[in-house]
């Protein structure tokens, strides 16, 4: 039986001891089990069939779910990213229908201050939505801090994955465009008799090309964040972090027309800035910190300057707070301390992902053919390659044939031998 004044784990509007224990268990547990624990914790406040968390974590992954598997699998990452970025629409908590596969489900969407998104499917009545928002603020901040404290390998992984993602998008556009253009050429042939059917097919294929190109542009947009939006998120996060210190923060906004930042660079740069600012809080002589971002079209330029003592120990502290993460994003960082004037950190982070290193033989192949060739070298069968790449076996056979032609190899085994020899060299 609930104690007098206790409602759903609250006592007179304050977290109860029981609720705090459950929150502590969620925060102390492995990140992989966090959605399940959070779902069980929120159930007394709002019934729901599934829960999805969309945020950065120490592994670089961002989408995690619990509950109804059809909802968790059916929600697209691009839709979650659109919701998370749409700061003008989502302010704290809202209810809205969300497309899942071919249907729609009602959802409760909760946006934390750091941009992390929580989605509850099929929510029941809620009396204390502000409490759910407060809980999500705490949980998402904890996840963010664990990401900041972890080894920065996940940033390096995300940087590499970004290059693969954009290559895959380019490949998809090229192959699909080539296929549809081939269909158009065939349907326009004078050898076809039914002109009316041909005209209808041409219209359909043309519409498909437009949808494809729009889709590619849409996905590319969702994998980037305007530099002004990224900096606005940083300001909100830093002001929250500095609430309990006497340090004054001064922000110099990047130009509004600056190049958009890849998502992993925006998240990584904010992590660097947060850690650097927290290192400034530890120095009692510092009363003011200036944070500045700029973009030269190729790099994100980040500067942090304080009015502290400007000692070498202070410079080392600031450098340690940033070096690993900046290097994980292939960037450069320098710190200069001037006694009596303060310490300044400058970081230059490239916006474009690293180019993949290919052998001379692979350089002649198309992106998908490179992927097939790499799996060929591993000894994978056509069926295994098809499953790994999500394509049909017939498509794999077509790519293998093209690889043999490009390498001037007489057989599959000869092509494998040529590729292995180049790798060893």
């Amino acid at each position: 039986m609930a104690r007098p004044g206790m409602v759903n784990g609250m006592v007179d509007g304050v977290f109860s001891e029981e609720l705090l224990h459950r929150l502590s268990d969620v925060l102390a547990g492995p990140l992989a089990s966090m959605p399940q624990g959070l779902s069980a914790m929120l159930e007394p406040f709002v019934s729901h069939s599934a829960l999805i968390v969309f945020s950065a974590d120490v592994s670089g992954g961002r989408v995690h779910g619990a509950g109804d598997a059809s909802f968790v699998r059916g929600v697209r990452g691009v839709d979650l990213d659109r919701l998370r970025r749409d700061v003008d629409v989502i302010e704290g908590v809202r209810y809205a229908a969300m497309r899942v596969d071919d249907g729609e489900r009602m959802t409760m969407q909760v946006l934390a201050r750091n941009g992390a998104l929580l989605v509850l499917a099929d929510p029941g009545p809620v009396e204390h939505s502000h409490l759910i928002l407060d809980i999500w603020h705490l949980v998402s901040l904890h996840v963010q801090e664990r990401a900041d404290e972890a080894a920065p390998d996940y940033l390096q992984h995300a940087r590499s994955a970004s290059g693969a993602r954009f290559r895959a998008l380019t490949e998809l556009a090229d192959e699909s465009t080539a296929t549809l253009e081939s269909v158009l050429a065939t349907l326009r042939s004078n050898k076809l008799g039914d002109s009316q059917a041909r005209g209808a097919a041409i219209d359909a294929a043309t519409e498909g090309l437009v949808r494809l190109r729009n889709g590619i542009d849409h996905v590319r947009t969702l994998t980037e964040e305007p530099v002004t939006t990224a900096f606005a998120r940083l300001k909100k996060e830093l002001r929250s972090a500095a609430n309990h210190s006497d340090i004054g923060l001064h922000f110099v906004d990047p130009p509004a027309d600056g190049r958009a930042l890849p998502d992993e660079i925006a998240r990584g740069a904010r992590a660097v800035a947060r850690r650097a600012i927290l290192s400034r809080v530890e120095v009692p002589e510092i009363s003011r910190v200036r944070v500045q971002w700029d973009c030269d079209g190729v790099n994100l330029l980040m500067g942090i300057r304080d009015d502290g003592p400007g000692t070498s120990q202070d410079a080392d502290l600031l450098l340690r707070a940033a070096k690993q993460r900046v290097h994980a994003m292939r960037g450069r960082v320098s710190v200069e301390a001037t006694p009596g004037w303060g310490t300044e950190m400058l970081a230059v982070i490239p916006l474009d992902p690293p180019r993949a290193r290919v052998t001379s033989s692979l350089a002649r192949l198309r992106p998908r053919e490179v992927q097939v060739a790499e799996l060929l070298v591993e000894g994978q069968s056509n069926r295994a390659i098809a499953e790994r790449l999500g394509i049909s076996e017939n498509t794999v056979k077509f790519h293998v044939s093209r690889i043999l032609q490009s390498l001037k190899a007489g057989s599959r085994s000869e092509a494998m031998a040529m590729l292995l020899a180049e790798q060893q060299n």
Side-chain angles (χ1 to χ4, degrees):
M1 179 180 297
R3 296 193 301 271
M6 181 173 177
V7 181
N8 287 340
M10 296 180 67
V11 180
D12 297 328
V14 181
F15 283 173
S16 72
E17 182 178 348
E18 177 187 355
L19 181 58
L20 289 174
H21 279 309
R22 287 155 60 191
L23 177 59
S24 176
D25 290 341
V26 170
L27 298 180
L31 288 177
S33 64
M34 185 267 288
Q36 190 69 41
L38 182 60
S39 178
M41 179 182 177
L42 295 179
E43 183 65 28
F45 302 101
V46 53
S47 62
H48 55 278
S49 61
L51 175 148
I52 286 180
V53 169
F54 188 71
S55 64
D57 65 22
V58 295
S59 66
R62 297 185 299 163
V63 182
H64 306 279
D68 182 357
S70 63
F71 181 83
V72 174
R73 290 196 305 264
V75 172
R76 300 188 309 164
V78 292
D79 291 334
L80 294 172
D81 212 6
R82 184 188 302 112
L83 291 175
R84 183 179 66 84
R85 294 171 187 277
D86 197 357
V87 293
D88 293 332
V89 174
I90 303 178
E91 294 181 357
V93 179
R94 80 162 186 175
Y95 296 86
M98 189 169 183
R99 176 162 293 279
V100 180
D101 288 335
D102 296 328
E104 286 190 343
R105 301 272 288 273
M106 182 56 63
T107 63
M108 178 181 182
Q109 302 161 6
V110 187
L111 187 70
R113 296 186 187 94
N114 63 358
L117 180 67
L118 174 69
V119 178
L120 301 175
D122 308 314
V126 184
E127 295 183 6
H128 301 287
S129 60
H130 64 280
L131 175 63
I132 296 175
L133 178 59
D134 287 341
I135 291 173
W136 180 231
H137 281 324
L138 292 172
V139 172
S140 62
L141 180 61
H142 174 74
V143 172
Q144 175 181 294
E145 288 177 345
R146 288 180 66 169
D148 289 353
E149 294 299 327
D153 296 348
Y154 75 94
L155 290 174
Q156 198 165 18
H157 171 74
R159 180 88 283 213
S160 300
S162 173
R165 182 172 66 242
F166 281 105
R167 287 195 301 273
L169 286 170
T170 302
E171 174 196 352
L172 174 64
D174 291 343
E175 290 192 359
S176 299
T177 301
T179 300
L180 289 173
E181 287 176 346
S182 176
V183 171
L184 285 172
T186 302
L187 293 176
R188 287 175 177 141
S189 171
N190 292 328
K191 296 180 181 180
L192 298 176
D194 191 343
S195 59
Q196 186 176 8
R198 186 167 65 246
I202 290 173
D203 290 341
T206 302
E207 183 180 348
L209 272 173
V210 173
R211 286 199 305 269
L212 170 67
R213 287 166 178 160
N214 289 340
I216 295 297
D217 292 340
H218 178 62
V219 172
R220 278 179 171 153
T221 299
L222 291 175
T223 57
E224 295 182 340
E225 186 172 43
V227 64
T228 50
T229 301
F231 194 70
R233 292 188 188 280
L234 173 67
K235 288 194 288 187
K236 184 182 295 186
E237 294 170 8
L238 288 181
R239 282 175 176 144
S240 177
N243 272 343
H244 303 292
S245 74
D246 295 328
I247 288 182
L249 295 178
H250 174 61
F251 297 97
V252 181
D253 293 339
D257 59 351
R259 176 179 166 183
L261 306 181
D263 185 62
E264 70 280 354
I265 293 300
R267 289 188 289 121
R270 287 198 295 268
V272 169
R274 285 193 301 268
R275 287 176 62 86
I277 295 301
L278 290 177
S279 75
R280 304 297 81 201
V281 172
E282 298 175 4
V283 182
E285 296 90 344
I286 294 178
S287 62
R288 185 176 177 83
V289 177
R290 186 188 69 186
V291 183
Q292 179 175 6
W293 278 16
D294 203 344
C295 187
D296 64 3
V298 178
N299 303 289
L300 171 65
L301 311 176
M302 181 166 59
I304 296 177
R305 182 181 180 88
D306 64 59
D307 62 352
T311 63
S312 58
Q313 294 89 340
D314 203 30
D316 290 341
L317 181 64
L318 186 56
L319 185 60
R320 284 198 305 270
K323 185 176 181 180
Q324 280 188 301
R325 277 165 176 72
V326 172
H327 287 178
M329 293 182 286
R330 297 175 53 251
R332 307 185 306 276
V333 60
S334 62
V335 176
E336 183 176 350
T338 305
W341 288 90
T343 304
E344 182 174 16
M345 182 191 81
L346 297 175
V348 179
I349 304 173
L351 301 183
D352 294 313
R355 294 184 177 179
R357 183 179 62 85
V358 298
T359 64
S360 57
S361 293
L362 292 181
R364 299 198 296 270
L365 304 179
R366 295 172 179 172
R368 178 66 87 185
E369 293 165 359
V370 172
Q371 294 176 322
V372 172
E374 290 172 344
L375 295 174
L376 274 179
V377 172
E378 295 179 7
Q380 301 285 344
S381 65
N382 285 353
R383 175 175 294 182
I385 294 173
E387 291 176 353
R388 286 277 295 274
L389 300 180
I391 58 180
S392 69
E393 286 190 58
N394 286 335
T395 303
V396 173
K397 292 177 182 177
F398 172 77
H399 288 313
V400 171
S401 175
R402 281 270 309 153
I403 291 169
L404 297 182
Q405 292 176 14
S406 297
L407 300 181
K408 295 182 172 57
S411 66
R412 183 189 187 104
S413 58
E414 183 181 350
M416 291 173 60
M418 293 172 63
L419 293 169
L420 278 171
E422 288 204 5
Q423 283 186 356
Q424 293 170 354
N425 292 336

